[in-house]
Every structure is written in C-alpha cells, then in structure tokens.
C-alpha cells in the first residue's frame, strides 16, 4: 500500500508538471498541503497495520493455577479375546462393552480413567488420565486383533490395573473388569482379594448369556470358530466365576444384557464410590491482548478523518509544516 501511494504521487507530480512551473502552480494553489496528504496516508496505513495485528490475535501472559477436584480413579480392564465377538448381545459382546464404557465416560467430570485391554496377555491401552476425549478415541480403536495371544487372563489384567493408578493414597480407586467369564489362566480371585486389601474395589461386568453363542471368525463373514474336532465353539458366560471375583474384590457383579439395567447399576456403583478431593495443576489460557491494538487502530482512524487534506485557514499563522 505504501508503494502504491508513492507510485501514485510520482505520476501525479508528472501530470502537474505538464501544466507549468512548480513554483507557479504552488502560488495558484496556496491551500494545497502535500505534507498533510502524506500524514493522512500514513495514519491510514498505521490503522490498517494495527487491524492486521488485532486480527492475528496477539496473546501473552499465562499463570499456573491449582484447581480443586473431587472424583475417583477408575481403571477399565476390557476383555478383547475372540470370544467377545459372540453375538448373544447386540451387536456383539465387544461393541456392547464399548458402548457401556463410552456412556460412563460421558458422565465423568473430575474423575480419572484408564483403559487396559487383555486376552492371553494384558496391555495398557490408555494410562490413567482426565482427558475424556482421548479415552473415547482409544476406546473406539479396540479390537481382538490388538493382542495375538488368545485366551482370557483376568489375573494379569487386575495385576496391571493395580499398578496403573496414581500414587495418590487418598483417592478412591476401583477396577471395572469387563469379561465373558472364561478365565483360562486362574488366580483371578486371589488377585482381586489382593486389590481389595489395598483399598481398590473390583467390579466385574459379565457380558453375554449363560446359554452361550458361537464365535464368528475375526474379520467378518458367516463362518464360526471351530475346535480341533471340527465342532463349532460355543462361548458361555460364567456368571459364578464373575460373582466370585467381585466378592473377593469387595465390589459387585453386574450382568450385561441387551437392556439398559447394567448401565443404571454401573452408574449407581460409580456414584456410591467416595469421591475424594484431588488437586491438578493446569495452565490458564493465554490472555487476549487484541483490545489495545484495536484501540490504536481506532485512534489512527479518528486522526485521519479529523485531519483535512488542505491547509486549515484557522491555523494560517501556525507554520508547523514549513521549513
């Protein structure tokens, strides 16, 4: 814009030069002020520059503040063995479990949640966090293909969950084990009892049906998993084992079917857990500083509007722009 201004001035002077001598033209136009025109142009350019800075949202100034939170720490241990693909609940056991956990995350405010997946082995899918958006994102990616070692080792899942909590001794802690009750390794009740002795309650969500259902082959299709004899494998919910693990962990057993009763029971147990006061240090947002820049732009615009381009006859005696 400044370059355009000077180019315009150059061609303007060339056109004026065609009319006659510069000194004579000045005498013919005594009220013309080249300096005022220049000042008005630069006032407009400064105002435009300030508006650009304001639109760029200048920000500075942060402070660290401590916010008091009351909540619990919960670790979700989700069975992702192939048996969780059985369709005795809609759409299948695994998807039903994911919807159940997602609804619990939606109701959390100041709580912390972690996610563990297990089959023949257990892995941390999401370390304990208050980032519920990430929790739901990681939840959606869970599938049986994540663990190559098949089976159901609930003991290892509870053991890993116990090690995944924060060092905060005052926080209420709970492990929610989601399984179809087929524990191939054993030792789950002993591990749940050990967790209870540390003040960590173990809740078990049994998903499926006691009558059982065939297990679809991973990857889709209409074929089902068969045993070495060629018989279709039927996965049945072992409710008694689920009750025993929950009792050892001083928690509760929740049966998950196609109704919403499991959701209501789970929400009730979460609400009953004693929410303790926890602290978390967070950074406040950057302070917006565009207001000062916008005021400068307004100031320059007002000056530009108030300044007339020709010499003001009221100030003939004042020669501010004269050598």
């Amino acid at each position: 814009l400044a370059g355009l201004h000077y180019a315009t001035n150059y061609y303007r002077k060339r056109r004026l030069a065609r009319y006659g001598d510069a000194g004579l033209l000045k005498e013919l136009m005594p009220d013309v002020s080249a300096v005022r025109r220049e000042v008005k142009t630069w006032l407009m350019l400064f105002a435009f520059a300030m508006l650009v800075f304001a639109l760029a949202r200048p920000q500075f100034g942060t402070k660290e503040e401590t916010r008091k939170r009351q909540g619990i720490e919960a670790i979700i241990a989700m069975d992702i063995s192939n048996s969780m693909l059985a369709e005795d609940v809609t759409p299948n056991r695994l998807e039903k479990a994911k919807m159940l956990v997602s609804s619990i995350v939606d109701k959390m405010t100041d709580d912390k949640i972690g996610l563990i997946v297990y089959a023949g082995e257990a892995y941390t899918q999401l370390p304990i966090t208050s980032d519920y958006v990430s929790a739901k994102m990681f939840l959606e990616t869970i599938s049986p293909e994540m663990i190559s070692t098949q089976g159901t080792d609930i003991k290892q899942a509870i053991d890993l969950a116990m090690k995944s909590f924060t060092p905060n001794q005052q926080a209420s802690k709970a492990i929610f084990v989601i399984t179809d009750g087929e524990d191939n390794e054993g030792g789950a009740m002993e591990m749940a009892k050990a967790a209870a002795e540390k003040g960590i309650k173990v809740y078990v969500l049994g998903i499926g049906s006691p009558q059982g259902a065939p297990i679809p082959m991973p990857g889709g299709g209409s074929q089902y998993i068969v045993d070495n004899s060629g018989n279709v494998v039927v996965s049945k919910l072992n409710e008694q084992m689920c009750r025993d693990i929950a009792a050892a962990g001083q928690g509760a057993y929740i049966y998950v079917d196609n109704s919403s009763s499991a959701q209501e029971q789970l929400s009730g147990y979460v609400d009953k857990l004693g929410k303790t006061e926890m602290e978390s240090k967070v950074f406040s947002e950057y302070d917006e500083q565009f207001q000062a820049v916008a005021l400068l732009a307004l100031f320059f615009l007002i000056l530009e509007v108030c300044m007339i381009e020709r010499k003001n006859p009221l100030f003939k005696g004042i020669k501010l722009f004269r050598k």
Side-chain angles (χ1 to χ4, degrees):
L1 290 176
L4 181 62
H5 165 68
Y6 284 115
T8 303
N9 274 355
Y10 171 75
Y11 287 109
R12 180 175 175 275
K13 289 179 180 179
R14 287 189 60 182
R15 289 196 300 271
L16 285 174
R18 297 174 183 175
Y19 287 97
D21 180 70
L24 178 60
L25 290 174
K26 186 175 181 180
E27 292 297 329
L28 293 173
M29 299 181 292
D31 293 333
V32 172
S33 174
V35 176
R36 285 174 176 270
R37 186 187 303 113
E38 192 76 10
V39 172
K40 282 175 66 68
T41 300
W42 280 102
L43 285 174
M44 184 64 72
L45 290 177
F46 281 136
F48 180 77
M50 292 301 101
L51 287 176
V52 171
F53 278 114
L55 290 174
R57 292 184 62 192
Q59 300 172 327
F60 63 85
T62 58
K63 61 180 179 180
E64 192 180 61
E65 61 181 15
T66 301
R67 184 169 66 94
K68 299 290 183 180
R69 302 186 303 109
Q70 282 191 335
I72 65 169
E73 293 185 8
I75 299 293
I76 308 293
M78 185 178 293
D79 185 354
I80 62 169
S81 58
N82 287 333
S83 61
M84 290 292 286
L85 297 176
E87 299 173 346
D88 44 3
V89 291
T90 306
N92 60 43
R93 296 175 181 178
L94 182 59
E95 291 302 319
K96 178 68 175 182
K98 289 162 69 172
M99 289 187 288
L100 189 65
V101 175
S102 179
S103 63
I104 290 297
V105 174
D106 288 337
K107 294 181 179 179
M108 288 185 168
T109 52
D110 289 332
D111 306 300
K112 289 186 176 182
I113 187 172
L115 190 59
I116 288 174
V117 294
Y118 70 95
E121 297 176 334
Y123 297 97
T124 299
Q125 173 74 352
L126 177 70
I128 192 163
T129 180
S130 297
D131 185 357
Y132 305 132
V133 175
S134 295
K136 296 191 71 170
M137 181 182 66
F138 279 95
L139 182 66
E140 291 298 323
T141 62
I142 291 176
S143 68
E145 288 79 12
M146 296 177 65
I147 299 180
S148 58
T149 305
Q150 283 301 306
T152 306
D153 194 346
I154 299 178
K155 173 186 175 182
Q156 188 178 155
I158 297 176
D159 183 38
L160 180 59
M162 291 169 57
K163 300 173 182 177
S164 300
F165 290 102
T166 67
N168 187 353
Q169 300 295 327
Q170 304 300 321
S172 297
K173 302 175 181 179
I175 301 172
F176 295 90
V177 179
I178 301 177
T179 181
D180 53 15
E182 294 186 348
D183 186 11
N184 304 117
E185 304 299 330
M189 285 183 288
E190 291 77 7
M191 189 59 65
K193 184 178 180 180
E197 291 173 352
K198 294 184 178 181
I200 305 172
K201 292 186 177 183
V202 180
Y203 296 84
V204 180
L205 286 77
I207 187 165
S209 66
Q211 295 76 26
I215 305 171
M217 292 289 292
S222 58
Q223 294 184 335
Y224 296 98
I225 294 178
V226 297
D227 57 18
N228 294 331
S229 302
N231 300 316
V232 175
V233 176
V234 176
S235 174
K236 300 180 180 180
L237 172 63
N238 189 344
E239 285 196 280
Q240 187 56 50
M241 189 201 69
C242 292
R243 289 192 179 95
D244 293 340
I245 296 175
Q250 298 181 11
Y253 167 66
I254 302 172
Y255 174 58
V256 181
D257 56 10
N258 287 318
S259 68
S260 60
S261 60
Q263 176 67 56
E264 296 171 358
Q265 292 182 57
L266 181 57
S267 298
Y269 286 124
V270 171
D271 293 338
K272 288 180 182 178
L273 288 171
K275 295 193 175 186
T276 56
E277 188 174 274
M278 297 182 289
E279 289 186 354
S280 69
K281 291 184 178 180
V282 295
F283 284 96
S284 62
E285 293 290 338
Y286 282 94
D287 294 330
E288 299 281 353
Q289 304 295 338
F290 73 92
Q291 299 92 338
V293 185
L295 285 175
L296 281 176
L298 181 61
F299 174 73
F300 288 131
L301 283 174
I302 292 175
L303 282 183
E304 194 276 337
V305 171
C306 292
M307 179 177 287
I308 59 177
E309 189 168 326
R310 64 184 181 83
K311 295 178 181 179
N312 194 331
L314 298 177
F315 302 102
K316 285 184 176 181
I318 302 175
K319 309 295 183 181
L320 295 178
F321 303 111
R322 181 176 175 182
K323 293 183 180 180

